[in-house]
Amino acid sequence: MSASSSNYVISMTVSIDGRLRAYHSGFFQTTMLIPGEMYGPGFRVACGPRNAAGAGKTYSYTARASESNGQSASNFGSVTCPGVSLAFLPLIRR
């Protein structure tokens, strides 16, 4: 996010399904960019029932930034985590 003229970005939050997952704050910044590498492998969520192909779970996310003048901007969307499939291998005795 970039702040409007003569203002500063003061915070940015990331929420998943309405739950706050990340909070970043700044001081006298005109832009704020949070690289994905800061989150490591990402945020842990449940991926749907086992052995239920196509029965995943969809999560909504919101990234919201606030400026020093009280204005805010948001980006949002959704992502689907597929159901976890387990493969059972036969037991072979030798």
Side-chain angles (χ1 to χ4, degrees), residues 28-62:
F28 295 123
Q29 293 179 206
T30 55
T31 62
M32 185 176 283
L33 172 70
I34 307 301
E37 293 82 18
M38 284 187 69
Y39 298 128
F43 299 101
R44 188 178 190 132
V45 295
C47 287
R50 295 178 186 255
N51 294 330
K57 182 159 173 43
T58 300
Y59 292 92
S60 61
Y61 63 85
T62 305

Side-chain angles (χ1 to χ4, degrees), residues 11-33:
S11 68
M12 187 186 92
T13 61
V14 176
S15 299
I16 299 175
D17 276 355
R19 292 184 51 210
L20 182 65
R21 295 295 186 103
Y23 175 84
H24 303 278
S25 61
F27 188 70
F28 295 123
Q29 293 179 206
T30 55
T31 62
M32 185 176 283
L33 172 70

